[in-house]
Amino acid sequence: MESELYRLFYPRGIAVVGASKNPSKIGHIVLKNILDGGYKGRVYPVNPTAESVLGLPCYPSVSSINGEVDVVIVSVPADKTIEVAEDVGRAGAQFLVVLSSGFKEVGNKELEERLVQVARKNGMRVLGPNIFGYVYTPAKLNASFGPPNLLPGKIAFITQSGALGIALMGYSIVEEIGVSSVVSVGNKADIDDADLLSFFLNDPNTQAVIMYIEGISDGRKFLDIASEFSARKPIITIKAGRTEFGAKAAASHTGSLSSGPILWEGVLRQVGALQVKDVQTAFDYARIFERNIKLPGPNVLVITNGGGAGVQATDTLAERGIRLSEPPKDYVDYLRTFLPPYASTRNPVDITGGASDEYYYLALRKALEHEEIHSILVLYCQTMTTNPMKTAEAIIKAVQETDIKKPVVAGFVGGPESKEAISYLSRAGIPAYPTPERAAEALSAIYLYSKRRSVVETRLAYLKTLYGKSQRLVETKIIGEK
Ligand code: COA
């Protein structure tokens, strides 16, 4: 069955109300982003005072457009949005995407309610208000005033903060992280996180979701869909208002009622979501989940050319509940055939500071093939005797030659050459990070998700057998009873 939000992401036509010739106005920038992004549907600028904008003929109203319009982007001052909504309702569009500020977040709750009423009366859904728009790369659709040229990928990002969302779009470009979608939800007057999760759950272009949440309006609806989602794909949450002071700030930002930090943490754990404090960690995790590699088991092997880097990674893993066990004996025997006698063949395996790229290749290749090694963290510290790019090439070669799919994560510490090698590895599908701690933390996310996922799956399956009903209904009942 087609998702209720399908036409928001795959519109046949889009109108931009408030499209302006003035290049500094938001209505101009959004229209330009839509056109420059390569969106293939019809685009209609709407502005009663302009004849054409960006080379397209302008319409005085949406209802005067003679063509299919599924989505209407609204970029006029808040007090004009009701008349626009009435007109769009007459035109029969499905979605109103309201960029305008000046609603609940500044105490103007009545205007926001009125907007939703007009939309409902006309069978429309509202995204926003108070948002920067949205992006969906599979449809080459950038209906936002954020940066253009997002890299297509498998991560969807839902954000209640516009500024953070725009910053994140920039961050993902700089860090070369591909996204399927970025959706600004703002005041969530109608379409909310749960609605969007429902769409991304069945979206083959989305592998994981990052969410920045300040508050949830319908907790039960969120719990239902988020549990279902986590059982299939990871949710990474950046929760704002973790402290009492942050919660107060969130209330005056989008008018959200932020739940208490402890209650919130429990809710997210129950639905299987991963929680991070900052944007960088969220994207570090996202990079890991892009490839959807299943975890074959508990044994992590660390290969490093620097003892200190190995210790840092071991500590980070231990803090996340992952203990390194000794490598299998036949693997150690193999390492001894080429490593110098002063190398350590315990875990972390220290292939020594002078390790050639050949050592990395041999040690990694065998580890990939070994049944008792389930995931591998490869650490590299740049020295004058080694070459980061060559080491990266050796890692990629080992991974590509073996057909075995297990998580391989790299941590490269060093100067600009190491940074280049990190990009090279990431483009080849091997998540790579500039510190051992970030690499270890990212690897641990796979273990944490695997654990959370199986708890959620077990709970959902148990509830289903217990009540013999649809898991969603049953779960709602249980949560309601508590
Ligand atoms: N239909 C179509 N166009 C209309 C219109 C209507 N009913 N009423 C006015 N317009 C035109 C205006 O004439 C203007 O075009 P022009 O430049 O050719 O004169 C254009 O729409 C925009 O209206 P304007 O009054 O100039 O508003 P603006 O562009 O300065 O600001 C918003 C509009 C929505 C951007 C602004 O009110 C706002 O809310 N800004 C904050 C947005 C934001 O930060 N969102 C949250 C991000 S996280």
Side-chain angles (χ1 to χ4, degrees):
M1 203 182 69
E2 199 172 87
S3 157
E4 210 195 334
L5 299 190
Y6 181 78
R7 286 284 168 215
L8 178 66
F9 293 97
Y10 291 99
R12 287 160 290 196
I14 301 183
V16 179
V17 178
S20 168
K21 276 187 191 309
N22 183 340
S24 63
K25 287 199 184 178
I26 286 179
H28 179 99
I29 299 165
V30 174
L31 180 65
K32 189 167 186 319
N33 268 347
I34 294 173
L35 297 174
D36 291 352
Y39 165 67
K40 294 282 183 285
R42 302 294 301 270
V43 183
Y44 306 96
V46 177
N47 183 336
T49 62
E51 274 189 13
S52 71
V53 181
L54 289 165
L56 293 174
C58 217
Y59 293 78
S61 60
V62 175
S63 56
S64 66
I65 296 169
N66 189 13
E68 197 126 39
V69 177
D70 289 317
V71 171
V72 177
I73 312 288
V74 182
S75 183
V76 293
D79 60 0
K80 293 187 174 161
T81 53
I82 300 295
E83 63 182 87
V84 170
E86 297 276 12
D87 176 62
V88 175
R90 283 191 290 276
Q94 294 184 35
F95 297 98
L96 264 187
V97 176
V98 185
L99 310 183
S100 327
S101 301
F103 293 85
K104 190 174 75 184
E105 82 284 0
V106 291
N108 209 347
K109 208 169 157 217
E110 293 73 30
L111 184 63
E112 190 162 308
E113 283 170 359
R114 178 96 190 88
L115 181 71
V116 175
Q117 268 170 15
V118 173
R120 292 232 168 100
K121 188 180 78 189
N122 291 287
M124 295 185 290
R125 301 290 311 263
V126 180
L127 182 63
N130 189 27
I131 60 173
F132 66 85
Y134 71 109
V135 177
Y136 188 60
T137 58
K140 295 185 188 294
L141 177 59
N142 183 350
S144 81
F145 55 93
N149 306 327
L150 281 183
L151 216 63
K154 295 276 185 187
I155 308 300
F157 182 52
I158 303 169
T159 175
Q160 203 167 353
S161 155
L164 185 76
I166 290 175
L168 271 161
M169 285 164 83
Y171 184 86
S172 74
I173 294 167
V174 173
E175 294 290 315
E176 300 179 82
I177 298 165
V179 299
S180 58
S181 184
V182 180
V183 186
S184 171
V185 285
N187 295 5
K188 299 192 256 197
D190 175 26
I191 294 177
D192 60 12
D193 311 274
D195 294 319
L196 291 161
L197 282 180
S198 290
F199 174 79
F200 292 125
L201 174 65
N202 296 310
D203 176 23
N205 303 303
T206 298
Q207 194 51 56
V209 168
I210 298 179
M211 304 177 80
Y212 170 83
I213 308 173
E214 286 183 356
I216 293 286
S217 47
D218 187 342
R220 193 173 287 185
K221 183 173 151 199
F222 177 77
L223 283 175
D224 271 351
I225 184 65
S227 307
E228 202 178 332
F229 195 96
S230 294
R232 284 186 30 207
K233 304 174 184 183
I235 302 177
I236 303 157
T237 54
I238 311 167
K239 172 67 171 85
R242 289 189 307 276
T243 62
E244 198 188 319
F245 301 103
K248 277 188 188 148
S252 60
H253 177 212
T254 45
S256 293
L257 206 61
S258 187
S259 50
I262 293 168
L263 174 66
W264 182 245
E265 207 174 313
V267 165
L268 289 177
R269 188 181 282 270
Q270 187 185 1
V271 300
L274 306 178
Q275 300 152 65
V276 298
K277 281 188 183 162
D278 56 70
V279 165
Q280 181 181 285
T281 314
F283 272 104
D284 282 357
Y285 281 20
R287 219 190 261 287
I288 283 278
F289 292 120
E290 250 174 344
R291 289 181 69 217
N292 189 26
I293 291 184
K294 296 265 180 305
L295 193 60
N299 298 337
V300 181
L301 181 81
V302 180
I303 299 171
T304 181
N305 69 343
V311 173
Q312 293 295 91
T314 307
D315 272 344
T316 305
L317 289 170
E319 279 160 10
R320 306 286 176 269
I322 299 167
R323 297 241 167 85
L324 298 181
S325 47
E326 291 297 311
K329 170 140 187 349
D330 56 332
Y331 181 69
V332 170
D333 292 343
Y334 171 76
L335 292 176
R336 283 278 164 236
T337 61
F338 62 92
L339 286 180
Y342 49 87
S344 168
T345 51
R346 306 194 70 177
N347 196 2
V349 171
D350 186 347
I351 57 176
T352 77
S356 66
D357 37 284
E358 184 69 7
Y359 285 4
Y360 272 100
Y361 169 77
L362 294 172
L364 176 58
R365 170 117 204 216
K366 194 73 172 174
L368 280 161
E369 285 165 355
H370 204 292
E371 273 183 2
E372 288 164 42
I373 297 170
H374 303 131
S375 67
I376 305 146
L377 183 59
V378 188
L379 303 175
Y380 166 81
C381 303
Q382 191 173 349
T383 65
M384 290 303 283
T385 57
T386 59
N387 180 326
M389 225 32 186
K390 283 211 155 26
T391 306
E393 273 166 14
I395 294 169
I396 294 168
K397 186 169 169 237
V399 170
Q400 287 178 350
E401 276 177 10
T402 43
D403 204 24
I404 301 133
K405 301 273 172 263
K406 52 177 89 163
V408 176
V409 176
F412 270 47
V413 186
E417 299 86 355
S418 286
K419 197 166 183 301
E420 231 175 273
I422 287 172
S423 296
Y424 185 49
L425 282 160
S426 295
R427 280 198 295 271
I430 297 166
Y433 304 87
T435 66
E437 295 88 345
R438 276 175 65 185
E441 162 101 43
L443 178 62
S444 74
I446 307 185
Y447 282 87
L448 183 59
Y449 174 58
S450 169
K451 228 188 267 173
R452 295 249 166 117
R453 178 187 194 152
S454 73
V455 170
V456 170
E457 277 170 348
T458 310
R459 187 161 53 88
L460 291 178
Y462 172 68
L463 291 170
K464 208 171 172 180
T465 49
L466 200 63
Y467 291 89
K469 291 183 192 164
S470 105
Q471 58 197 37
R472 268 205 197 187
L473 279 175
V474 167
E475 200 187 3
T476 301
K477 186 163 178 250
I478 290 291
I479 288 161
E481 280 169 1
K482 271 189 179 173

PDB file of all heavy atoms in Angstrom, residues 43 146 150 203 226 379 386 436 470:
ATOM      1  N   VAL A  43       7.081  22.701 -11.901  1.00  0.00           N
ATOM      2  CA  VAL A  43       7.316  23.682 -10.830  1.00  0.00           C
ATOM      3  C   VAL A  43       6.577  24.971 -11.178  1.00  0.00           C
ATOM      4  O   VAL A  43       6.712  25.478 -12.308  1.00  0.00           O
ATOM      5  CB  VAL A  43       8.826  23.974 -10.667  1.00  0.00           C
ATOM      6  CG1 VAL A  43       9.072  24.932  -9.503  1.00  0.00           C
ATOM      7  CG2 VAL A  43       9.612  22.678 -10.457  1.00  0.00           C
ATOM      8  N   GLY A 146      18.026  25.422   2.693  1.00  0.00           N
ATOM      9  CA  GLY A 146      19.342  24.941   3.147  1.00  0.00           C
ATOM     10  C   GLY A 146      20.296  24.857   1.962  1.00  0.00           C
ATOM     11  O   GLY A 146      19.925  25.195   0.839  1.00  0.00           O
ATOM     12  N   LEU A 150      23.439  18.251  -1.766  1.00  0.00           N
ATOM     13  CA  LEU A 150      23.588  17.179  -0.771  1.00  0.00           C
ATOM     14  C   LEU A 150      23.973  15.897  -1.485  1.00  0.00           C
ATOM     15  O   LEU A 150      23.517  15.631  -2.599  1.00  0.00           O
ATOM     16  CB  LEU A 150      22.267  16.955  -0.049  1.00  0.00           C
ATOM     17  CG  LEU A 150      21.900  17.933   1.044  1.00  0.00           C
ATOM     18  CD1 LEU A 150      20.613  17.515   1.698  1.00  0.00           C
ATOM     19  CD2 LEU A 150      23.000  18.033   2.074  1.00  0.00           C
ATOM     20  N   ASP A 203      10.603   2.849   3.151  1.00  0.00           N
ATOM     21  CA  ASP A 203      11.314   3.504   2.057  1.00  0.00           C
ATOM     22  C   ASP A 203      12.624   2.753   1.781  1.00  0.00           C
ATOM     23  O   ASP A 203      13.529   2.765   2.611  1.00  0.00           O
ATOM     24  CB  ASP A 203      11.611   4.961   2.460  1.00  0.00           C
ATOM     25  CG  ASP A 203      12.434   5.683   1.398  1.00  0.00           C
ATOM     26  OD1 ASP A 203      12.392   5.242   0.232  1.00  0.00           O
ATOM     27  OD2 ASP A 203      13.111   6.665   1.734  1.00  0.00           O
ATOM     28  N   ALA A 226       7.887   3.827  16.464  1.00  0.00           N
ATOM     29  CA  ALA A 226       9.336   3.785  16.690  1.00  0.00           C
ATOM     30  C   ALA A 226       9.789   2.357  17.028  1.00  0.00           C
ATOM     31  O   ALA A 226      10.858   1.918  16.604  1.00  0.00           O
ATOM     32  CB  ALA A 226       9.741   4.761  17.789  1.00  0.00           C
ATOM     33  N   LEU A 379      43.194   0.254  13.168  1.00  0.00           N
ATOM     34  CA  LEU A 379      43.697   1.570  13.577  1.00  0.00           C
ATOM     35  C   LEU A 379      45.040   1.833  12.918  1.00  0.00           C
ATOM     36  O   LEU A 379      45.871   0.925  12.771  1.00  0.00           O
ATOM     37  CB  LEU A 379      43.848   1.625  15.099  1.00  0.00           C
ATOM     38  CG  LEU A 379      42.570   1.333  15.884  1.00  0.00           C
ATOM     39  CD1 LEU A 379      42.860   1.299  17.383  1.00  0.00           C
ATOM     40  CD2 LEU A 379      41.488   2.373  15.577  1.00  0.00           C
ATOM     41  N   THR A 386      55.446   5.223   7.052  1.00  0.00           N
ATOM     42  CA  THR A 386      54.245   4.600   6.458  1.00  0.00           C
ATOM     43  C   THR A 386      53.485   5.625   5.629  1.00  0.00           C
ATOM     44  O   THR A 386      53.668   6.821   5.789  1.00  0.00           O
ATOM     45  CB  THR A 386      53.300   4.063   7.562  1.00  0.00           C
ATOM     46  OG1 THR A 386      52.938   5.170   8.392  1.00  0.00           O
ATOM     47  CG2 THR A 386      53.946   2.983   8.384  1.00  0.00           C
ATOM     48  N   PRO A 436      40.899   6.941  17.265  1.00  0.00           N
ATOM     49  CA  PRO A 436      40.549   5.563  17.639  1.00  0.00           C
ATOM     50  C   PRO A 436      39.269   5.510  18.458  1.00  0.00           C
ATOM     51  O   PRO A 436      38.465   4.589  18.319  1.00  0.00           O
ATOM     52  CB  PRO A 436      41.736   5.092  18.501  1.00  0.00           C
ATOM     53  CG  PRO A 436      42.712   6.193  18.565  1.00  0.00           C
ATOM     54  CD  PRO A 436      42.195   7.372  17.782  1.00  0.00           C
ATOM     55  N   SER A 470      -2.762  -7.512  16.185  1.00  0.00           N
ATOM     56  CA  SER A 470      -1.688  -6.787  15.517  1.00  0.00           C
ATOM     57  C   SER A 470      -0.762  -6.214  16.584  1.00  0.00           C
ATOM     58  O   SER A 470      -1.212  -5.750  17.618  1.00  0.00           O
ATOM     59  CB  SER A 470      -2.252  -5.664  14.661  1.00  0.00           C
ATOM     60  OG  SER A 470      -2.028  -4.431  15.278  1.00  0.00           O
TER      61      SER A 470
END
